Each structure stands twice: as structure tokens, then as C-alpha cells.
Amino acid sequence: MKERIEKLLEEIENLSTKGNFKEKITLVAVTKTFDVDTILEAYRCGLRIFGENKVQEAISKIDAMKDYKDIQWHLIGHLQSNKVKKCKVFSLIHSIDSIKLLEEFLKFEDSERPDLLIQINSSAEESKSGIPLENVYDFFDKVLELELNKKIKIRGLMTIGPLTEDKKEIRIAFKKTRKFYEDLQYKYNLTFDILSMGMSSDYRIAIEEGSNMIRIGSLIFGERKYV
Ligand SMILES: *Cc1c(COP(=O)(O)O)cnc(C)c1O
């Protein structure tokens, strides 16, 4: 694992320093389906940010690893509003895609509320969650109108690239997301600092198109047996 991580970090460094955006890239190690021992191995290799896609699975791992206080846990999978109140264990949630979810986060104490990313569906695949591109401005109109951004820290956007071998199509989806990332800040006078895009199969393209946070599972931990 150590070798795989070192190779990945080196590649990330190369891509980000040579590319057009020169963003500093944050690596989220996606630990869904992997057990605590495997996560500990990654921790010993120096990784400190772990991403899980299910609230319940995350909570049991977080509890088992509660002595490792310098770990940041991210939720990257779809979130149901009835699970929101369990989410104070996360430092960042990547998958916010409704006003209803945002409103649930208003109920938190300010100090316990995680930071949030808005997930957008940049590939228009019906099976994907995330806000469809044509609704993104309506969504942010509503966020500003309800002043949800006053209390809730929206740090930026997340997207999942299209499920295809076609690199051009993947690039287009990431380019569109980067454009929203910039245009939304300008139009609404917001300050974002996180653009979460890129997984094991497409992180290179994502970094070339201006991602600054990539979510990598199988490249670090090997193939998952189930999803
Ligand atoms: C599983 C998952 C990843 C990581 O996928 P890999 O292909 O294993 O790198 C990234 N983002 C999300 C939202 C995921 O669910």
C-alpha cells in the first residue's frame, strides 16, 4: 500500500504543478467497504482524510478509530435527510443536493455543523444524484434567498464524472463543473475553496480541469468486493 500511495502522491504533485490551474490537491482516501485494519494501514502511510459513502458504516469505523484524533472523515455518498443529525462526526460532506438537506443542517449547533459541498450532476446521467446542471442557478438563488449560506459553510462543489471510457466526455463534464465553480462565486459573491472531482479512473483529467480534491479508493486499497 505504501508504494501505491507514494506513486499516487507523486503523480498528483506532477499533474498539479505542470497543469494550468496549479491548485494544491487534497487526497481523500475512499475507505468504503474496507475494514478498520486496512484504514489503519493507510493512516500509518501518512493519510489523514478518509471518505465513506454510508453514514452508518462510517460511524462504526469512526467510533473504532476515535483515538486517532487527527483524522478527518468525509461523507461522499448520497445522504438522506433522516440521517443528517448523525452527521456531526464528519468534517466535510460532499453530497448535498437539496434545499431540504441544507435546512436540516441549520438545526446543528454552529460548532458541530460540518462544512458542505453541493453535488452537481455534470454528466446528466439519470442514475446519478446531484443537482442537474440546468437547475444549479435556481438552487443557489434559493440558498441566497433563504440566507442558508449565512450559517452553513458551503465550501464548493462536488461532481462524479460520467461512467464512460470516453475521455472527452469526462473532460467536458469536469470543465463544466469548474466553470460553475467560478461563475457561482462571481455571481453570488461567494467564496469557495473546494472543488471535489476525480476518482481512481479519472483523477488525472479532473486535476487537469481544475479539481483541488480527489477521492481515490481502488487505486489505494485495491478492488472492492461489493459496493
Ligand atoms: C467509491 C467512490 C469513490 C472512489 O472510487 P474509486 O473508483 O475506487 O477511486 C469516489 N467518489 C465517490 C462518490 C464514491 O462513491
Side-chain angles (χ1 to χ4, degrees), residues 64-97:
M65 295 182 70
K66 61 179 178 303
D67 292 341
Y68 298 83
K69 298 208 188 303
D70 54 350
I71 294 179
Q72 291 177 41
W73 295 93
H74 290 190
L75 183 72
I76 61 172
H78 183 68
L79 176 62
Q80 289 166 317
S81 51
N82 62 349
K83 302 255 172 72
V84 167
K85 51 184 177 305
K86 298 183 174 163
C87 282
K88 61 176 185 238
V89 294
F90 300 108
S91 59
L92 183 71
I93 295 179
H94 293 230
S95 44
I96 301 300
D97 61 359

PDB file of all heavy atoms in Angstrom, residues 64-97:
ATOM      1  N   ALA A  64     -14.592   3.189  16.173  1.00  0.00           N
ATOM      2  CA  ALA A  64     -13.469   2.269  16.418  1.00  0.00           C
ATOM      3  C   ALA A  64     -12.117   2.986  16.351  1.00  0.00           C
ATOM      4  O   ALA A  64     -11.137   2.524  16.919  1.00  0.00           O
ATOM      5  CB  ALA A  64     -13.506   1.133  15.401  1.00  0.00           C
ATOM      6  N   MET A  65     -12.073   4.105  15.654  1.00  0.00           N
ATOM      7  CA  MET A  65     -10.799   4.813  15.463  1.00  0.00           C
ATOM      8  C   MET A  65     -10.777   6.156  16.179  1.00  0.00           C
ATOM      9  O   MET A  65     -10.022   7.053  15.803  1.00  0.00           O
ATOM     10  CB  MET A  65     -10.546   5.001  13.964  1.00  0.00           C
ATOM     11  CG  MET A  65     -10.344   3.662  13.246  1.00  0.00           C
ATOM     12  SD  MET A  65      -9.989   3.845  11.500  1.00  0.00           S
ATOM     13  CE  MET A  65      -8.338   4.539  11.554  1.00  0.00           C
ATOM     14  N   LYS A  66     -11.581   6.272  17.221  1.00  0.00           N
ATOM     15  CA  LYS A  66     -11.747   7.596  17.820  1.00  0.00           C
ATOM     16  C   LYS A  66     -10.488   8.123  18.515  1.00  0.00           C
ATOM     17  O   LYS A  66     -10.381   9.315  18.784  1.00  0.00           O
ATOM     18  CB  LYS A  66     -12.952   7.630  18.763  1.00  0.00           C
ATOM     19  CG  LYS A  66     -12.904   6.682  19.939  1.00  0.00           C
ATOM     20  CD  LYS A  66     -14.180   6.882  20.764  1.00  0.00           C
ATOM     21  CE  LYS A  66     -14.254   5.933  21.936  1.00  0.00           C
ATOM     22  NZ  LYS A  66     -14.186   4.492  21.564  1.00  0.00           N
ATOM     23  N   ASP A  67      -9.518   7.237  18.789  1.00  0.00           N
ATOM     24  CA  ASP A  67      -8.275   7.708  19.406  1.00  0.00           C
ATOM     25  C   ASP A  67      -7.363   8.439  18.420  1.00  0.00           C
ATOM     26  O   ASP A  67      -6.427   9.118  18.826  1.00  0.00           O
ATOM     27  CB  ASP A  67      -7.508   6.537  20.018  1.00  0.00           C
ATOM     28  CG  ASP A  67      -8.250   5.964  21.217  1.00  0.00           C
ATOM     29  OD1 ASP A  67      -9.112   6.689  21.764  1.00  0.00           O
ATOM     30  OD2 ASP A  67      -7.987   4.798  21.584  1.00  0.00           O
ATOM     31  N   TYR A  68      -7.651   8.263  17.143  1.00  0.00           N
ATOM     32  CA  TYR A  68      -6.810   8.913  16.120  1.00  0.00           C
ATOM     33  C   TYR A  68      -7.427  10.271  15.796  1.00  0.00           C
ATOM     34  O   TYR A  68      -8.164  10.437  14.838  1.00  0.00           O
ATOM     35  CB  TYR A  68      -6.699   8.016  14.881  1.00  0.00           C
ATOM     36  CG  TYR A  68      -6.036   6.704  15.198  1.00  0.00           C
ATOM     37  CD1 TYR A  68      -6.764   5.648  15.739  1.00  0.00           C
ATOM     38  CD2 TYR A  68      -4.671   6.529  14.996  1.00  0.00           C
ATOM     39  CE1 TYR A  68      -6.155   4.447  16.062  1.00  0.00           C
ATOM     40  CE2 TYR A  68      -4.049   5.331  15.318  1.00  0.00           C
ATOM     41  CZ  TYR A  68      -4.796   4.292  15.847  1.00  0.00           C
ATOM     42  OH  TYR A  68      -4.188   3.114  16.162  1.00  0.00           O
ATOM     43  N   LYS A  69      -7.099  11.235  16.626  1.00  0.00           N
ATOM     44  CA  LYS A  69      -7.839  12.483  16.601  1.00  0.00           C
ATOM     45  C   LYS A  69      -7.493  13.389  15.425  1.00  0.00           C
ATOM     46  O   LYS A  69      -8.172  14.371  15.166  1.00  0.00           O
ATOM     47  CB  LYS A  69      -7.634  13.238  17.922  1.00  0.00           C
ATOM     48  CG  LYS A  69      -8.160  12.432  19.103  1.00  0.00           C
ATOM     49  CD  LYS A  69      -8.599  13.303  20.245  1.00  0.00           C
ATOM     50  CE  LYS A  69      -8.939  12.480  21.485  1.00  0.00           C
ATOM     51  NZ  LYS A  69      -9.977  11.452  21.247  1.00  0.00           N
ATOM     52  N   ASP A  70      -6.411  13.060  14.736  1.00  0.00           N
ATOM     53  CA  ASP A  70      -6.053  13.928  13.601  1.00  0.00           C
ATOM     54  C   ASP A  70      -6.648  13.438  12.282  1.00  0.00           C
ATOM     55  O   ASP A  70      -6.334  13.958  11.229  1.00  0.00           O
ATOM     56  CB  ASP A  70      -4.523  14.059  13.491  1.00  0.00           C
ATOM     57  CG  ASP A  70      -3.811  12.718  13.412  1.00  0.00           C
ATOM     58  OD1 ASP A  70      -4.460  11.669  13.637  1.00  0.00           O
ATOM     59  OD2 ASP A  70      -2.601  12.721  13.129  1.00  0.00           O
ATOM     60  N   ILE A  71      -7.552  12.471  12.351  1.00  0.00           N
ATOM     61  CA  ILE A  71      -8.223  12.032  11.121  1.00  0.00           C
ATOM     62  C   ILE A  71      -9.413  12.944  10.831  1.00  0.00           C
ATOM     63  O   ILE A  71     -10.149  13.313  11.736  1.00  0.00           O
ATOM     64  CB  ILE A  71      -8.733  10.581  11.250  1.00  0.00           C
ATOM     65  CG1 ILE A  71      -7.554   9.617  11.383  1.00  0.00           C
ATOM     66  CG2 ILE A  71      -9.599  10.198  10.042  1.00  0.00           C
ATOM     67  CD1 ILE A  71      -7.972   8.162  11.535  1.00  0.00           C
ATOM     68  N   GLN A  72      -9.574  13.291   9.563  1.00  0.00           N
ATOM     69  CA  GLN A  72     -10.802  13.962   9.131  1.00  0.00           C
ATOM     70  C   GLN A  72     -11.631  12.971   8.334  1.00  0.00           C
ATOM     71  O   GLN A  72     -11.132  12.348   7.400  1.00  0.00           O
ATOM     72  CB  GLN A  72     -10.486  15.139   8.211  1.00  0.00           C
ATOM     73  CG  GLN A  72      -9.802  16.305   8.877  1.00  0.00           C
ATOM     74  CD  GLN A  72      -9.483  17.371   7.838  1.00  0.00           C
ATOM     75  OE1 GLN A  72     -10.280  17.661   6.954  1.00  0.00           O
ATOM     76  NE2 GLN A  72      -8.296  17.934   7.934  1.00  0.00           N
ATOM     77  N   TRP A  73     -12.887  12.858   8.700  1.00  0.00           N
ATOM     78  CA  TRP A  73     -13.797  11.956   7.996  1.00  0.00           C
ATOM     79  C   TRP A  73     -14.728  12.755   7.096  1.00  0.00           C
ATOM     80  O   TRP A  73     -15.344  13.718   7.543  1.00  0.00           O
ATOM     81  CB  TRP A  73     -14.611  11.142   9.002  1.00  0.00           C
ATOM     82  CG  TRP A  73     -13.779  10.219   9.823  1.00  0.00           C
ATOM     83  CD1 TRP A  73     -13.239  10.478  11.055  1.00  0.00           C
ATOM     84  CD2 TRP A  73     -13.361   8.886   9.477  1.00  0.00           C
ATOM     85  NE1 TRP A  73     -12.519   9.383  11.493  1.00  0.00           N
ATOM     86  CE2 TRP A  73     -12.582   8.392  10.548  1.00  0.00           C
ATOM     87  CE3 TRP A  73     -13.579   8.060   8.363  1.00  0.00           C
ATOM     88  CZ2 TRP A  73     -12.019   7.114  10.541  1.00  0.00           C
ATOM     89  CZ3 TRP A  73     -13.019   6.784   8.361  1.00  0.00           C
ATOM     90  CH2 TRP A  73     -12.252   6.326   9.432  1.00  0.00           C
ATOM     91  N   HIS A  74     -14.814  12.331   5.838  1.00  0.00           N
ATOM     92  CA  HIS A  74     -15.723  12.984   4.893  1.00  0.00           C
ATOM     93  C   HIS A  74     -16.845  12.018   4.508  1.00  0.00           C
ATOM     94  O   HIS A  74     -16.599  10.810   4.380  1.00  0.00           O
ATOM     95  CB  HIS A  74     -14.988  13.353   3.602  1.00  0.00           C
ATOM     96  CG  HIS A  74     -14.003  14.474   3.758  1.00  0.00           C
ATOM     97  ND1 HIS A  74     -13.399  15.073   2.679  1.00  0.00           N
ATOM     98  CD2 HIS A  74     -13.514  15.103   4.866  1.00  0.00           C
ATOM     99  CE1 HIS A  74     -12.579  16.028   3.112  1.00  0.00           C
ATOM    100  NE2 HIS A  74     -12.626  16.067   4.431  1.00  0.00           N
ATOM    101  N   LEU A  75     -18.032  12.542   4.309  1.00  0.00           N
ATOM    102  CA  LEU A  75     -19.101  11.740   3.726  1.00  0.00           C
ATOM    103  C   LEU A  75     -19.193  12.086   2.244  1.00  0.00           C
ATOM    104  O   LEU A  75     -19.371  13.256   1.880  1.00  0.00           O
ATOM    105  CB  LEU A  75     -20.444  12.018   4.410  1.00  0.00           C
ATOM    106  CG  LEU A  75     -21.587  11.138   3.875  1.00  0.00           C
ATOM    107  CD1 LEU A  75     -21.435   9.693   4.347  1.00  0.00           C
ATOM    108  CD2 LEU A  75     -22.947  11.674   4.302  1.00  0.00           C
ATOM    109  N   ILE A  76     -19.053  11.061   1.402  1.00  0.00           N
ATOM    110  CA  ILE A  76     -19.051  11.326  -0.046  1.00  0.00           C
ATOM    111  C   ILE A  76     -20.277  10.742  -0.742  1.00  0.00           C
ATOM    112  O   ILE A  76     -20.536  11.042  -1.894  1.00  0.00           O
ATOM    113  CB  ILE A  76     -17.767  10.761  -0.706  1.00  0.00           C
ATOM    114  CG1 ILE A  76     -17.687   9.240  -0.525  1.00  0.00           C
ATOM    115  CG2 ILE A  76     -16.526  11.439  -0.132  1.00  0.00           C
ATOM    116  CD1 ILE A  76     -16.548   8.608  -1.307  1.00  0.00           C
ATOM    117  N   GLY A  77     -21.045   9.898  -0.028  1.00  0.00           N
ATOM    118  CA  GLY A  77     -22.193   9.243  -0.664  1.00  0.00           C
ATOM    119  C   GLY A  77     -23.497   9.966  -0.399  1.00  0.00           C
ATOM    120  O   GLY A  77     -23.571  10.868   0.444  1.00  0.00           O
ATOM    121  N   HIS A  78     -24.505   9.542  -1.101  1.00  0.00           N
ATOM    122  CA  HIS A  78     -25.830  10.156  -1.007  1.00  0.00           C
ATOM    123  C   HIS A  78     -26.319  10.182   0.443  1.00  0.00           C
ATOM    124  O   HIS A  78     -26.160   9.224   1.181  1.00  0.00           O
ATOM    125  CB  HIS A  78     -26.810   9.374  -1.883  1.00  0.00           C
ATOM    126  CG  HIS A  78     -28.174   9.975  -1.900  1.00  0.00           C
ATOM    127  ND1 HIS A  78     -28.415  11.197  -2.486  1.00  0.00           N
ATOM    128  CD2 HIS A  78     -29.342   9.561  -1.373  1.00  0.00           C
ATOM    129  CE1 HIS A  78     -29.696  11.500  -2.331  1.00  0.00           C
ATOM    130  NE2 HIS A  78     -30.277  10.524  -1.656  1.00  0.00           N
ATOM    131  N   LEU A  79     -26.916  11.287   0.828  1.00  0.00           N
ATOM    132  CA  LEU A  79     -27.362  11.479   2.213  1.00  0.00           C
ATOM    133  C   LEU A  79     -28.876  11.650   2.248  1.00  0.00           C
ATOM    134  O   LEU A  79     -29.435  12.438   1.485  1.00  0.00           O
ATOM    135  CB  LEU A  79     -26.672  12.728   2.790  1.00  0.00           C
ATOM    136  CG  LEU A  79     -27.067  13.166   4.201  1.00  0.00           C
ATOM    137  CD1 LEU A  79     -26.746  12.096   5.237  1.00  0.00           C
ATOM    138  CD2 LEU A  79     -26.342  14.467   4.561  1.00  0.00           C
ATOM    139  N   GLN A  80     -29.518  10.876   3.142  1.00  0.00           N
ATOM    140  CA  GLN A  80     -30.956  11.054   3.337  1.00  0.00           C
ATOM    141  C   GLN A  80     -31.188  11.997   4.499  1.00  0.00           C
ATOM    142  O   GLN A  80     -30.443  11.966   5.483  1.00  0.00           O
ATOM    143  CB  GLN A  80     -31.602   9.700   3.664  1.00  0.00           C
ATOM    144  CG  GLN A  80     -31.632   8.768   2.468  1.00  0.00           C
ATOM    145  CD  GLN A  80     -31.940   7.346   2.901  1.00  0.00           C
ATOM    146  OE1 GLN A  80     -31.405   6.849   3.897  1.00  0.00           O
ATOM    147  NE2 GLN A  80     -32.797   6.685   2.143  1.00  0.00           N
ATOM    148  N   SER A  81     -32.266  12.783   4.407  1.00  0.00           N
ATOM    149  CA  SER A  81     -32.431  13.837   5.411  1.00  0.00           C
ATOM    150  C   SER A  81     -32.630  13.268   6.825  1.00  0.00           C
ATOM    151  O   SER A  81     -32.246  13.903   7.794  1.00  0.00           O
ATOM    152  CB  SER A  81     -33.566  14.784   5.025  1.00  0.00           C
ATOM    153  OG  SER A  81     -34.714  14.056   4.721  1.00  0.00           O
ATOM    154  N   ASN A  82     -33.172  12.053   6.929  1.00  0.00           N
ATOM    155  CA  ASN A  82     -33.349  11.493   8.282  1.00  0.00           C
ATOM    156  C   ASN A  82     -32.031  11.053   8.935  1.00  0.00           C
ATOM    157  O   ASN A  82     -31.993  10.694  10.099  1.00  0.00           O
ATOM    158  CB  ASN A  82     -34.363  10.334   8.270  1.00  0.00           C
ATOM    159  CG  ASN A  82     -33.902   9.178   7.402  1.00  0.00           C
ATOM    160  OD1 ASN A  82     -32.935   9.296   6.647  1.00  0.00           O
ATOM    161  ND2 ASN A  82     -34.569   8.055   7.492  1.00  0.00           N
ATOM    162  N   LYS A  83     -30.942  11.083   8.167  1.00  0.00           N
ATOM    163  CA  LYS A  83     -29.627  10.721   8.737  1.00  0.00           C
ATOM    164  C   LYS A  83     -28.786  11.952   9.087  1.00  0.00           C
ATOM    165  O   LYS A  83     -27.702  11.828   9.655  1.00  0.00           O
ATOM    166  CB  LYS A  83     -28.831   9.885   7.724  1.00  0.00           C
ATOM    167  CG  LYS A  83     -29.512   8.594   7.277  1.00  0.00           C
ATOM    168  CD  LYS A  83     -28.851   7.388   7.947  1.00  0.00           C
ATOM    169  CE  LYS A  83     -29.609   6.105   7.686  1.00  0.00           C
ATOM    170  NZ  LYS A  83     -29.474   5.635   6.297  1.00  0.00           N
ATOM    171  N   VAL A  84     -29.299  13.115   8.733  1.00  0.00           N
ATOM    172  CA  VAL A  84     -28.471  14.323   8.879  1.00  0.00           C
ATOM    173  C   VAL A  84     -28.004  14.525  10.316  1.00  0.00           C
ATOM    174  O   VAL A  84     -26.855  14.882  10.562  1.00  0.00           O
ATOM    175  CB  VAL A  84     -29.229  15.573   8.357  1.00  0.00           C
ATOM    176  CG1 VAL A  84     -28.533  16.852   8.789  1.00  0.00           C
ATOM    177  CG2 VAL A  84     -29.340  15.528   6.833  1.00  0.00           C
ATOM    178  N   LYS A  85     -28.885  14.246  11.260  1.00  0.00           N
ATOM    179  CA  LYS A  85     -28.499  14.553  12.647  1.00  0.00           C
ATOM    180  C   LYS A  85     -27.322  13.717  13.149  1.00  0.00           C
ATOM    181  O   LYS A  85     -26.673  14.054  14.130  1.00  0.00           O
ATOM    182  CB  LYS A  85     -29.695  14.483  13.599  1.00  0.00           C
ATOM    183  CG  LYS A  85     -30.522  13.237  13.545  1.00  0.00           C
ATOM    184  CD  LYS A  85     -31.709  13.417  14.498  1.00  0.00           C
ATOM    185  CE  LYS A  85     -32.659  12.224  14.465  1.00  0.00           C
ATOM    186  NZ  LYS A  85     -33.144  11.912  13.090  1.00  0.00           N
ATOM    187  N   LYS A  86     -27.004  12.630  12.434  1.00  0.00           N
ATOM    188  CA  LYS A  86     -25.838  11.827  12.815  1.00  0.00           C
ATOM    189  C   LYS A  86     -24.535  12.338  12.210  1.00  0.00           C
ATOM    190  O   LYS A  86     -23.468  11.754  12.410  1.00  0.00           O
ATOM    191  CB  LYS A  86     -26.037  10.385  12.345  1.00  0.00           C
ATOM    192  CG  LYS A  86     -27.231   9.722  12.982  1.00  0.00           C
ATOM    193  CD  LYS A  86     -27.334   8.283  12.549  1.00  0.00           C
ATOM    194  CE  LYS A  86     -28.447   7.582  13.316  1.00  0.00           C
ATOM    195  NZ  LYS A  86     -28.845   6.338  12.655  1.00  0.00           N
ATOM    196  N   CYS A  87     -24.637  13.416  11.446  1.00  0.00           N
ATOM    197  CA  CYS A  87     -23.512  13.809  10.591  1.00  0.00           C
ATOM    198  C   CYS A  87     -22.470  14.694  11.253  1.00  0.00           C
ATOM    199  O   CYS A  87     -21.549  15.157  10.586  1.00  0.00           O
ATOM    200  CB  CYS A  87     -24.035  14.484   9.329  1.00  0.00           C
ATOM    201  SG  CYS A  87     -24.656  13.294   8.138  1.00  0.00           S
ATOM    202  N   LYS A  88     -22.608  14.937  12.557  1.00  0.00           N
ATOM    203  CA  LYS A  88     -21.612  15.830  13.163  1.00  0.00           C
ATOM    204  C   LYS A  88     -20.233  15.181  13.285  1.00  0.00           C
ATOM    205  O   LYS A  88     -19.251  15.841  13.594  1.00  0.00           O
ATOM    206  CB  LYS A  88     -22.101  16.375  14.504  1.00  0.00           C
ATOM    207  CG  LYS A  88     -22.363  15.326  15.545  1.00  0.00           C
ATOM    208  CD  LYS A  88     -22.742  16.001  16.874  1.00  0.00           C
ATOM    209  CE  LYS A  88     -22.891  14.967  17.948  1.00  0.00           C
ATOM    210  NZ  LYS A  88     -24.199  14.945  18.585  1.00  0.00           N
ATOM    211  N   VAL A  89     -20.157  13.883  13.012  1.00  0.00           N
ATOM    212  CA  VAL A  89     -18.849  13.203  13.038  1.00  0.00           C
ATOM    213  C   VAL A  89     -17.997  13.536  11.803  1.00  0.00           C
ATOM    214  O   VAL A  89     -16.801  13.248  11.778  1.00  0.00           O
ATOM    215  CB  VAL A  89     -19.002  11.664  13.120  1.00  0.00           C
ATOM    216  CG1 VAL A  89     -19.625  11.262  14.443  1.00  0.00           C
ATOM    217  CG2 VAL A  89     -19.851  11.141  11.950  1.00  0.00           C
ATOM    218  N   PHE A  90     -18.621  14.123  10.799  1.00  0.00           N
ATOM    219  CA  PHE A  90     -17.879  14.420   9.572  1.00  0.00           C
ATOM    220  C   PHE A  90     -17.377  15.866   9.580  1.00  0.00           C
ATOM    221  O   PHE A  90     -18.052  16.761  10.086  1.00  0.00           O
ATOM    222  CB  PHE A  90     -18.773  14.220   8.340  1.00  0.00           C
ATOM    223  CG  PHE A  90     -19.288  12.818   8.202  1.00  0.00           C
ATOM    224  CD1 PHE A  90     -20.627  12.525   8.458  1.00  0.00           C
ATOM    225  CD2 PHE A  90     -18.443  11.781   7.827  1.00  0.00           C
ATOM    226  CE1 PHE A  90     -21.116  11.222   8.347  1.00  0.00           C
ATOM    227  CE2 PHE A  90     -18.917  10.476   7.711  1.00  0.00           C
ATOM    228  CZ  PHE A  90     -20.255  10.198   7.969  1.00  0.00           C
ATOM    229  N   SER A  91     -16.207  16.074   8.976  1.00  0.00           N
ATOM    230  CA  SER A  91     -15.749  17.457   8.843  1.00  0.00           C
ATOM    231  C   SER A  91     -16.244  18.061   7.532  1.00  0.00           C
ATOM    232  O   SER A  91     -16.403  19.276   7.427  1.00  0.00           O
ATOM    233  CB  SER A  91     -14.220  17.533   8.923  1.00  0.00           C
ATOM    234  OG  SER A  91     -13.631  16.763   7.901  1.00  0.00           O
ATOM    235  N   LEU A  92     -16.492  17.208   6.539  1.00  0.00           N
ATOM    236  CA  LEU A  92     -16.972  17.723   5.249  1.00  0.00           C
ATOM    237  C   LEU A  92     -17.927  16.715   4.626  1.00  0.00           C
ATOM    238  O   LEU A  92     -17.656  15.508   4.631  1.00  0.00           O
ATOM    239  CB  LEU A  92     -15.787  17.960   4.297  1.00  0.00           C
ATOM    240  CG  LEU A  92     -16.126  18.570   2.938  1.00  0.00           C
ATOM    241  CD1 LEU A  92     -16.541  20.041   3.062  1.00  0.00           C
ATOM    242  CD2 LEU A  92     -14.940  18.460   1.962  1.00  0.00           C
ATOM    243  N   ILE A  93     -19.023  17.235   4.089  1.00  0.00           N
ATOM    244  CA  ILE A  93     -19.976  16.379   3.376  1.00  0.00           C
ATOM    245  C   ILE A  93     -20.018  16.829   1.918  1.00  0.00           C
ATOM    246  O   ILE A  93     -20.238  18.008   1.627  1.00  0.00           O
ATOM    247  CB  ILE A  93     -21.357  16.464   4.051  1.00  0.00           C
ATOM    248  CG1 ILE A  93     -21.215  15.866   5.458  1.00  0.00           C
ATOM    249  CG2 ILE A  93     -22.409  15.719   3.225  1.00  0.00           C
ATOM    250  CD1 ILE A  93     -22.444  15.876   6.277  1.00  0.00           C
ATOM    251  N   HIS A  94     -19.750  15.887   1.021  1.00  0.00           N
ATOM    252  CA  HIS A  94     -19.596  16.230  -0.398  1.00  0.00           C
ATOM    253  C   HIS A  94     -20.901  16.198  -1.178  1.00  0.00           C
ATOM    254  O   HIS A  94     -20.924  16.605  -2.334  1.00  0.00           O
ATOM    255  CB  HIS A  94     -18.664  15.204  -1.073  1.00  0.00           C
ATOM    256  CG  HIS A  94     -17.247  15.223  -0.623  1.00  0.00           C
ATOM    257  ND1 HIS A  94     -16.192  15.261  -1.506  1.00  0.00           N
ATOM    258  CD2 HIS A  94     -16.683  15.221   0.611  1.00  0.00           C
ATOM    259  CE1 HIS A  94     -15.048  15.249  -0.843  1.00  0.00           C
ATOM    260  NE2 HIS A  94     -15.311  15.223   0.449  1.00  0.00           N
ATOM    261  N   SER A  95     -21.954  15.655  -0.580  1.00  0.00           N
ATOM    262  CA  SER A  95     -23.071  15.177  -1.392  1.00  0.00           C
ATOM    263  C   SER A  95     -24.400  15.881  -1.122  1.00  0.00           C
ATOM    264  O   SER A  95     -25.446  15.250  -1.119  1.00  0.00           O
ATOM    265  CB  SER A  95     -23.216  13.679  -1.133  1.00  0.00           C
ATOM    266  OG  SER A  95     -23.110  13.411   0.266  1.00  0.00           O
ATOM    267  N   ILE A  96     -24.363  17.181  -0.919  1.00  0.00           N
ATOM    268  CA  ILE A  96     -25.607  17.914  -0.667  1.00  0.00           C
ATOM    269  C   ILE A  96     -26.273  18.247  -2.000  1.00  0.00           C
ATOM    270  O   ILE A  96     -25.658  18.854  -2.879  1.00  0.00           O
ATOM    271  CB  ILE A  96     -25.314  19.223   0.107  1.00  0.00           C
ATOM    272  CG1 ILE A  96     -24.621  18.928   1.433  1.00  0.00           C
ATOM    273  CG2 ILE A  96     -26.601  20.032   0.302  1.00  0.00           C
ATOM    274  CD1 ILE A  96     -25.394  18.056   2.380  1.00  0.00           C
ATOM    275  N   ASP A  97     -27.540  17.820  -2.139  1.00  0.00           N
ATOM    276  CA  ASP A  97     -28.185  18.090  -3.425  1.00  0.00           C
ATOM    277  C   ASP A  97     -29.637  18.532  -3.284  1.00  0.00           C
ATOM    278  O   ASP A  97     -30.421  18.404  -4.222  1.00  0.00           O
ATOM    279  CB  ASP A  97     -28.063  16.879  -4.360  1.00  0.00           C
ATOM    280  CG  ASP A  97     -28.733  15.646  -3.787  1.00  0.00           C
ATOM    281  OD1 ASP A  97     -29.271  15.728  -2.657  1.00  0.00           O
ATOM    282  OD2 ASP A  97     -28.728  14.609  -4.466  1.00  0.00           O
TER     283      ASP A  97
END
